[in-house]
Amino acid sequence: MRPGEERPVEGGACAAVFEVELLKLRAAECIDEAAERLGALSRAIWSEPELAYEEHHAHDVLTRFFQSERPAASWAVQPHYQLITAFRAEWGPPRGWAAPRPLHLGFLCEYDALPGIGHACGHNLIAEVGAAAALGVKGALESLPEPPLPVKVIVLGTPAEEDGGGKIDLIEAGAFKNLDVVFMAHPSQENAAYLPDVAEHDVTVKYYGKASHAAAYPWEGLNALDAAVLAYNNLSVLRQQMKPTWRVHGIIKNGGVKPNIIPSYSELIYYFRAPSMKELPVLTKKAEDCFRAAALATGCTVEIKGGAHDYYNVLPNKSLWKAYIENGKKLGIDFISEDAMLNGPSGSTDFGNVTFVVPGIHPYFYIGSNALNHTEQYTEAAGSQEAQFYTLRTAKALAMTALDVIFKPELLERIREDFKLKLQEEEFLNTVE
């Protein structure tokens, strides 16, 4: 039985559907069989949190995990893949496999932490979900009595989601080329097949003034801190004219060195968010005008520097999320309503950029705690034993959905059509091969 084909068995379509359901059960069994090792993998990452692009321990733990899988050498592992702390693990047909071209399914692992509070976004669990789902699909396909199916299961270790955008680096390096569908899942407070993660642009703003004695001759100075404060207040005033779906938030990182010295330098860091890449430049232009106005008012000069990468909004793929919901419900997952899903709070992720180059799904899952992400309480929850049940259940739902993609050609076609339609809506189709 090959992807896109139905094995000629008695009972026709019903028998084929039944066989896929049996494969899903086998995928879940494989994940359960690996539960202890998967939990140890997650704990090893959680116990030594590392910041973006510095995830050396997590990289080594994950690559060793796949290198030690049995049978020996079943995964082709490439450490330091394109980035020092990225990796690629691949299972599939042997080299030289004849046509048809294998279907390439990607499972993504994140593993960077937050400064000061560790894995408060649960990226240790994201790594575990990606690894577990990939093991489940591999195990299900290996259980078939026929020769290996023309499917490649690819695990990508994607560092630096919290800062920098490792997936964007990997896109630019060609790591997502030829992938057909990608899967990952993110810890949260509820189960949602999709949340409208928004586009994000960050800037560093530097004001340069002139130092002077603040008491003896302040008129000789140009106050860079005043410029920073004006910029902050300008943006606060702008909020009245901002769309309800726009977000602007920032900090004053540097405001001077001593009260009796007119600050000659100040620095702010700001994030701008909008529902789509079409709206983001509009918001960014308004905010940059606020920064420049503050410089003009104080006589300072200003330098505005954007981040290395913009995070794109996550494109929804309704066919894919419906399949995921159907499989999740079989496992007892209680999903929030579609209305709550489409109108719920969200953040930003570099997975959004991935959805502009390949169809993908980025569901959110409950981990047994009502703690909010990016808090000390969520760090504790992400490392708890209770989170393991929910994490592996989510991995099973992803694996089951991947099997649907493999064995239901009509689903794969709908996923691809949804992808093209969303790109057209974003006026982005001409930039994607």
Side-chain angles (χ1 to χ4, degrees):
M1 184 177 179
R2 301 184 183 282
E5 298 178 353
E6 289 187 5
R7 183 180 295 158
V9 295
E10 187 176 352
C14 290
V17 170
F18 178 70
E19 184 171 2
V20 174
E21 294 304 310
L22 289 178
L23 286 175
K24 292 178 182 179
L25 289 175
R26 180 57 191 145
E29 289 172 356
C30 290
I31 291 171
D32 285 334
E33 290 165 5
E36 186 174 340
R37 289 182 292 117
L38 289 162
L41 171 73
S42 177
R43 285 190 296 276
I45 296 170
W46 180 86
S47 64
E48 294 191 31
E50 299 163 299
L51 301 182
Y53 298 111
E54 299 174 4
E55 313 95 326
H56 303 286
H57 169 72
H59 166 276
D60 293 347
V61 167
L62 281 156
T63 52
R64 284 197 301 268
F65 178 87
F66 286 100
Q67 288 166 341
S68 65
E69 274 295 292
R70 295 291 181 264
S74 57
W75 290 91
V77 181
Q78 299 180 60
H80 313 298
Y81 177 70
Q82 306 294 348
L83 299 170
I84 293 297
T85 55
F87 73 90
R88 180 184 176 106
E90 184 176 307
W91 173 88
R95 190 178 298 276
W97 177 268
R101 171 192 173 273
L103 185 68
H104 292 63
L105 301 182
F107 295 87
L108 308 188
C109 298
E110 294 177 6
Y111 34 88
D112 61 324
L114 289 159
I117 53 176
H119 280 288
C121 212
H123 288 195
N124 59 302
L125 301 178
I126 296 177
E128 183 180 2
V129 164
L135 292 188
V137 174
K138 169 181 173 286
L141 296 179
E142 285 180 330
S143 72
L144 290 170
E146 295 183 353
L149 292 167
V151 175
K152 282 191 176 182
V153 178
I154 297 159
V155 181
L156 283 178
T158 61
E161 190 276 338
E162 292 290 355
D163 185 22
K167 294 182 192 65
I168 307 169
D169 295 322
L170 290 170
I171 289 170
E172 293 174 350
F176 288 86
K177 188 177 181 181
N178 296 325
L179 291 184
D180 292 291
V181 184
V182 293
F183 303 82
M184 68 170 289
H186 196 295
S188 182
Q189 296 76 46
E190 68 273 307
N191 295 297
Y194 168 79
L195 287 178
D197 288 307
V198 297
E200 185 269 341
H201 173 74
D202 61 83
V203 294
T204 298
V205 182
K206 299 178 180 180
Y207 289 104
Y208 299 93
K210 180 183 176 184
S212 183
H213 196 292
Y217 26 84
W219 54 86
E220 294 292 336
L222 296 173
N223 197 318
L225 177 58
D226 282 350
V229 172
L230 274 178
Y232 191 96
N233 289 334
N234 288 347
L235 287 166
S236 296
V237 172
L238 175 65
R239 294 180 193 279
Q240 186 181 35
Q241 276 69 50
M242 282 170 47
K243 292 184 179 181
T245 51
W246 291 357
R247 295 291 184 271
V248 171
H249 34 266
I251 60 169
I252 298 176
K253 185 178 179 182
N254 190 316
V257 293
K258 205 168 185 289
N260 63 350
I261 303 173
I262 298 291
S264 62
Y265 174 78
S266 65
E267 182 178 337
L268 304 94
I269 299 175
Y270 263 87
Y271 290 180
F272 311 135
R273 304 182 199 252
S276 72
M277 287 301 295
K278 290 186 291 185
E279 288 187 55
L280 188 59
V282 179
L283 173 59
T284 299
K285 171 65 166 54
K286 291 177 181 293
E288 289 183 350
D289 287 345
C290 290
F291 296 137
R292 293 190 177 94
L296 180 64
T298 57
C300 295
T301 58
V302 62
E303 176 187 310
I304 303 171
K305 185 177 181 180
H309 299 303
D310 287 346
Y311 282 18
Y312 293 3
N313 48 298
V314 174
L315 297 183
N317 193 296
K318 199 164 188 175
S319 295
L320 194 50
W321 96 43
K322 282 187 172 181
Y324 176 77
I325 290 174
E326 181 179 333
N327 286 302
K329 286 182 175 179
K330 293 174 185 176
L331 297 167
I333 298 177
D334 184 20
F335 291 96
I336 63 174
S337 69
E338 185 169 329
D339 180 67
M341 188 171 72
L342 295 176
N343 296 288
S346 61
S348 303
T349 170
D350 57 358
F351 186 82
N353 301 63
V354 174
T355 65
F356 277 71
V357 297
V358 58
I361 187 169
H362 182 277
Y364 285 81
F365 64 98
Y366 174 71
I367 65 168
S369 170
N370 292 322
L372 299 177
N373 294 61
H374 291 214
T375 65
E376 292 88 347
Q377 293 76 21
Y378 206 82
T379 301
E380 182 179 353
S384 70
Q385 184 59 37
E386 185 178 7
Q388 286 300 298
F389 167 78
Y390 301 102
T391 300
L392 296 184
R393 183 173 67 169
T394 299
K396 292 172 187 177
L398 283 182
M400 292 162 68
T401 305
L403 290 169
D404 281 333
V405 171
I406 294 170
F407 292 106
K408 297 179 180 179
E410 71 284 356
L411 173 60
L412 179 58
E413 184 59 32
R414 290 198 305 270
I415 290 168
R416 287 170 170 163
E417 286 301 315
D418 286 355
F419 173 63
K420 291 178 182 178
L421 179 61
K422 287 300 174 183
L423 287 180
Q424 289 171 342
E425 290 177 1
E426 293 282 334
E427 300 173 0
F428 214 85
L429 190 58
N430 62 336
T431 67
V432 179
E433 294 183 358

